[in-house]
Amino acid sequence: MAMSTEKKVGLFFLLALVALGAVIELVEDWSPFEDQTPYLTYFDSGVGIKVGDPVLVAGVDVGKVESVAIEKGKVRIDFYVVEGTDIREDSIASIRKANLLGGQFLGIDFDNPESPPLPPGKALRSRPTTNIDQLINNIDRNQERLMGNLGDFLEESKETFTDAVRQLESVVRKIDQGEGSLGRMVNDPALYDDLHLAVGSLKTFLDRLENGEGSLGRLLKDPTLYDEASATLVNLREISDRMKKGEGTIGRLLVEDDLYVQTGDAMAEIRELAVKVNEGKGTLGKLVNEDGLYDDASAAMQKVNSIAGKIDEGQGTLGKLVNEDGLYRDAKTTINKVEKTVDGLSDSGPLQALGVAVGTLF
């Protein structure tokens, strides 16, 4: 059976698409018009790197891996970069992961930008990389070490943990049985009742505050306190303004310098007076510094004490005047006689009055 024209055309396009895909795959890395500079490097392990993986310098795609082979116990990687790529003698190559799915690339880092360029075909220094197998082995070793140390710790602390658990069980049992303060708090309903009463009292107190009852409630609800405080602040501001302007006594004290000058002069005079007193000048200086006045005053006080003692004992005329009553009675009698004489003189002549006075007194 002959193939129809439509089928021939369809088959032709299908073969053309297959051929196009094969050509694209084969010539993907073919750049006939791009100059390439070859280099190589060595690694102890090249896990994951393969031909065609990109070469990145500072994160920029500049080439491809051309071959991966074993040479003298090392992994040799040949690669190229586009002409003009800055590869220097101290540049370092390393195998890195492009993503978490396992993609690899050959990364090249700069070191010293002043280092001379590396000639084409020369080997770059390399930095060892940790592959997934080494990472798993390290995790396994660390896990074994950690679990071993943890096991040893648990074995050494077994008795301590057992005692702690036993004591904890004892404490929980006592609490459950209502022993001790904590047990009574957990099991005694009085605590709940007291707490309920306290909450009720607090609610009542807050309600009273909300209603403006009591002193605190009035402070919260009555705007008079705020008004008075505002008025007080206004008055204080006015007083402060007046003081700044130098009004009133305090304002003059703050603004004018006369008080300061007078105070300074007074302090200078007091200092000068104190210096004179310390030097023994003047009456006050002699009183402060000389001992003669103290000795004279002490002697005078001793004499006064002696005289007072004699008077108190009734010695001498003054002592008899103070302590004996006879003198008082004689003086009173004499005063009465003088009064009678004066009364008689007013009614008699001179001679008769003289005789009356003599007779009265004697």
PDB file of all heavy atoms in Angstrom, residues 18-32 80:
ATOM      1  N   VAL A  18      13.715  15.541  15.056  1.00  0.00           N
ATOM      2  CA  VAL A  18      14.683  14.683  15.746  1.00  0.00           C
ATOM      3  C   VAL A  18      16.102  15.084  15.395  1.00  0.00           C
ATOM      4  O   VAL A  18      16.999  15.171  16.249  1.00  0.00           O
ATOM      5  CB  VAL A  18      14.416  13.211  15.411  1.00  0.00           C
ATOM      6  CG1 VAL A  18      15.536  12.321  15.994  1.00  0.00           C
ATOM      7  CG2 VAL A  18      13.066  12.774  15.950  1.00  0.00           C
ATOM      8  N   ALA A  19      16.328  15.338  14.093  1.00  0.00           N
ATOM      9  CA  ALA A  19      17.674  15.733  13.658  1.00  0.00           C
ATOM     10  C   ALA A  19      18.064  17.072  14.264  1.00  0.00           C
ATOM     11  O   ALA A  19      19.222  17.287  14.679  1.00  0.00           O
ATOM     12  CB  ALA A  19      17.715  15.805  12.132  1.00  0.00           C
ATOM     13  N   LEU A  20      17.106  17.999  14.342  1.00  0.00           N
ATOM     14  CA  LEU A  20      17.398  19.305  14.933  1.00  0.00           C
ATOM     15  C   LEU A  20      17.772  19.178  16.408  1.00  0.00           C
ATOM     16  O   LEU A  20      18.703  19.831  16.897  1.00  0.00           O
ATOM     17  CB  LEU A  20      16.190  20.229  14.764  1.00  0.00           C
ATOM     18  CG  LEU A  20      16.344  21.656  15.333  1.00  0.00           C
ATOM     19  CD1 LEU A  20      17.498  22.389  14.649  1.00  0.00           C
ATOM     20  CD2 LEU A  20      15.043  22.428  15.186  1.00  0.00           C
ATOM     21  N   GLY A  21      17.051  18.310  17.162  1.00  0.00           N
ATOM     22  CA  GLY A  21      17.389  18.106  18.569  1.00  0.00           C
ATOM     23  C   GLY A  21      18.768  17.521  18.738  1.00  0.00           C
ATOM     24  O   GLY A  21      19.530  17.900  19.636  1.00  0.00           O
ATOM     25  N   ALA A  22      19.109  16.545  17.848  1.00  0.00           N
ATOM     26  CA  ALA A  22      20.438  15.935  17.935  1.00  0.00           C
ATOM     27  C   ALA A  22      21.520  16.947  17.645  1.00  0.00           C
ATOM     28  O   ALA A  22      22.568  17.008  18.317  1.00  0.00           O
ATOM     29  CB  ALA A  22      20.521  14.756  16.965  1.00  0.00           C
ATOM     30  N   VAL A  23      21.286  17.809  16.651  1.00  0.00           N
ATOM     31  CA  VAL A  23      22.288  18.830  16.322  1.00  0.00           C
ATOM     32  C   VAL A  23      22.458  19.812  17.475  1.00  0.00           C
ATOM     33  O   VAL A  23      23.582  20.208  17.814  1.00  0.00           O
ATOM     34  CB  VAL A  23      21.873  19.555  15.023  1.00  0.00           C
ATOM     35  CG1 VAL A  23      22.779  20.766  14.784  1.00  0.00           C
ATOM     36  CG2 VAL A  23      21.952  18.605  13.834  1.00  0.00           C
ATOM     37  N   ILE A  24      21.344  20.232  18.060  1.00  0.00           N
ATOM     38  CA  ILE A  24      21.427  21.171  19.193  1.00  0.00           C
ATOM     39  C   ILE A  24      22.209  20.564  20.341  1.00  0.00           C
ATOM     40  O   ILE A  24      23.037  21.221  20.999  1.00  0.00           O
ATOM     41  CB  ILE A  24      20.015  21.589  19.639  1.00  0.00           C
ATOM     42  CG1 ILE A  24      19.352  22.451  18.545  1.00  0.00           C
ATOM     43  CG2 ILE A  24      20.060  22.357  20.957  1.00  0.00           C
ATOM     44  CD1 ILE A  24      17.906  22.785  18.840  1.00  0.00           C
ATOM     45  N   GLU A  25      21.965  19.275  20.640  1.00  0.00           N
ATOM     46  CA  GLU A  25      22.657  18.602  21.730  1.00  0.00           C
ATOM     47  C   GLU A  25      24.145  18.490  21.456  1.00  0.00           C
ATOM     48  O   GLU A  25      24.976  18.647  22.350  1.00  0.00           O
ATOM     49  CB  GLU A  25      22.060  17.211  21.946  1.00  0.00           C
ATOM     50  CG  GLU A  25      22.684  16.430  23.078  1.00  0.00           C
ATOM     51  CD  GLU A  25      22.411  17.063  24.432  1.00  0.00           C
ATOM     52  OE1 GLU A  25      21.421  17.811  24.572  1.00  0.00           O
ATOM     53  OE2 GLU A  25      23.215  16.815  25.368  1.00  0.00           O
ATOM     54  N   LEU A  26      24.485  18.232  20.166  1.00  0.00           N
ATOM     55  CA  LEU A  26      25.887  18.026  19.816  1.00  0.00           C
ATOM     56  C   LEU A  26      26.661  19.332  19.739  1.00  0.00           C
ATOM     57  O   LEU A  26      27.845  19.380  20.053  1.00  0.00           O
ATOM     58  CB  LEU A  26      25.990  17.262  18.483  1.00  0.00           C
ATOM     59  CG  LEU A  26      25.494  15.804  18.515  1.00  0.00           C
ATOM     60  CD1 LEU A  26      25.526  15.207  17.110  1.00  0.00           C
ATOM     61  CD2 LEU A  26      26.343  14.968  19.469  1.00  0.00           C
ATOM     62  N   VAL A  27      26.012  20.367  19.295  1.00  0.00           N
ATOM     63  CA  VAL A  27      26.738  21.631  19.080  1.00  0.00           C
ATOM     64  C   VAL A  27      26.423  22.661  20.171  1.00  0.00           C
ATOM     65  O   VAL A  27      26.674  23.841  19.993  1.00  0.00           O
ATOM     66  CB  VAL A  27      26.383  22.219  17.689  1.00  0.00           C
ATOM     67  CG1 VAL A  27      26.726  21.245  16.600  1.00  0.00           C
ATOM     68  CG2 VAL A  27      24.919  22.637  17.618  1.00  0.00           C
ATOM     69  N   GLU A  28      25.858  22.179  21.320  1.00  0.00           N
ATOM     70  CA  GLU A  28      25.511  23.129  22.395  1.00  0.00           C
ATOM     71  C   GLU A  28      26.724  23.892  22.881  1.00  0.00           C
ATOM     72  O   GLU A  28      26.669  25.094  23.130  1.00  0.00           O
ATOM     73  CB  GLU A  28      24.864  22.369  23.554  1.00  0.00           C
ATOM     74  CG  GLU A  28      24.480  23.257  24.733  1.00  0.00           C
ATOM     75  CD  GLU A  28      23.910  22.451  25.885  1.00  0.00           C
ATOM     76  OE1 GLU A  28      23.893  21.212  25.820  1.00  0.00           O
ATOM     77  OE2 GLU A  28      23.464  23.079  26.850  1.00  0.00           O
ATOM     78  N   ASP A  29      27.844  23.170  23.005  1.00  0.00           N
ATOM     79  CA  ASP A  29      29.046  23.805  23.521  1.00  0.00           C
ATOM     80  C   ASP A  29      30.005  24.215  22.411  1.00  0.00           C
ATOM     81  O   ASP A  29      31.158  24.564  22.680  1.00  0.00           O
ATOM     82  CB  ASP A  29      29.770  22.846  24.484  1.00  0.00           C
ATOM     83  CG  ASP A  29      28.903  22.503  25.669  1.00  0.00           C
ATOM     84  OD1 ASP A  29      28.099  23.359  26.071  1.00  0.00           O
ATOM     85  OD2 ASP A  29      29.028  21.374  26.186  1.00  0.00           O
ATOM     86  N   TRP A  30      29.557  24.144  21.215  1.00  0.00           N
ATOM     87  CA  TRP A  30      30.433  24.488  20.086  1.00  0.00           C
ATOM     88  C   TRP A  30      30.319  25.976  19.799  1.00  0.00           C
ATOM     89  O   TRP A  30      29.231  26.485  19.499  1.00  0.00           O
ATOM     90  CB  TRP A  30      30.045  23.656  18.860  1.00  0.00           C
ATOM     91  CG  TRP A  30      30.953  23.889  17.680  1.00  0.00           C
ATOM     92  CD1 TRP A  30      32.300  23.935  17.680  1.00  0.00           C
ATOM     93  CD2 TRP A  30      30.526  24.131  16.329  1.00  0.00           C
ATOM     94  NE1 TRP A  30      32.785  24.167  16.428  1.00  0.00           N
ATOM     95  CE2 TRP A  30      31.688  24.289  15.560  1.00  0.00           C
ATOM     96  CE3 TRP A  30      29.271  24.194  15.707  1.00  0.00           C
ATOM     97  CZ2 TRP A  30      31.648  24.525  14.196  1.00  0.00           C
ATOM     98  CZ3 TRP A  30      29.246  24.421  14.350  1.00  0.00           C
ATOM     99  CH2 TRP A  30      30.420  24.604  13.602  1.00  0.00           C
ATOM    100  N   SER A  31      31.420  26.662  19.934  1.00  0.00           N
ATOM    101  CA  SER A  31      31.456  28.103  19.676  1.00  0.00           C
ATOM    102  C   SER A  31      32.585  28.383  18.709  1.00  0.00           C
ATOM    103  O   SER A  31      33.729  28.662  19.101  1.00  0.00           O
ATOM    104  CB  SER A  31      31.675  28.886  20.985  1.00  0.00           C
ATOM    105  OG  SER A  31      30.642  28.617  21.902  1.00  0.00           O
ATOM    106  N   PRO A  32      32.316  28.249  17.424  1.00  0.00           N
ATOM    107  CA  PRO A  32      33.393  28.388  16.427  1.00  0.00           C
ATOM    108  C   PRO A  32      33.945  29.793  16.349  1.00  0.00           C
ATOM    109  O   PRO A  32      35.076  29.987  15.911  1.00  0.00           O
ATOM    110  CB  PRO A  32      32.700  27.987  15.118  1.00  0.00           C
ATOM    111  CG  PRO A  32      31.261  28.260  15.357  1.00  0.00           C
ATOM    112  CD  PRO A  32      31.020  27.977  16.798  1.00  0.00           C
ATOM    113  N   TYR A  80      38.200  25.264  30.002  1.00  0.00           N
ATOM    114  CA  TYR A  80      38.551  26.450  29.250  1.00  0.00           C
ATOM    115  C   TYR A  80      37.703  27.618  29.722  1.00  0.00           C
ATOM    116  O   TYR A  80      36.616  27.439  30.271  1.00  0.00           O
ATOM    117  CB  TYR A  80      38.357  26.223  27.740  1.00  0.00           C
ATOM    118  CG  TYR A  80      36.914  26.163  27.305  1.00  0.00           C
ATOM    119  CD1 TYR A  80      36.195  27.332  27.004  1.00  0.00           C
ATOM    120  CD2 TYR A  80      36.250  24.949  27.198  1.00  0.00           C
ATOM    121  CE1 TYR A  80      34.873  27.276  26.612  1.00  0.00           C
ATOM    122  CE2 TYR A  80      34.921  24.884  26.822  1.00  0.00           C
ATOM    123  CZ  TYR A  80      34.243  26.051  26.527  1.00  0.00           C
ATOM    124  OH  TYR A  80      32.922  26.000  26.158  1.00  0.00           O
TER     125      TYR A  80
END
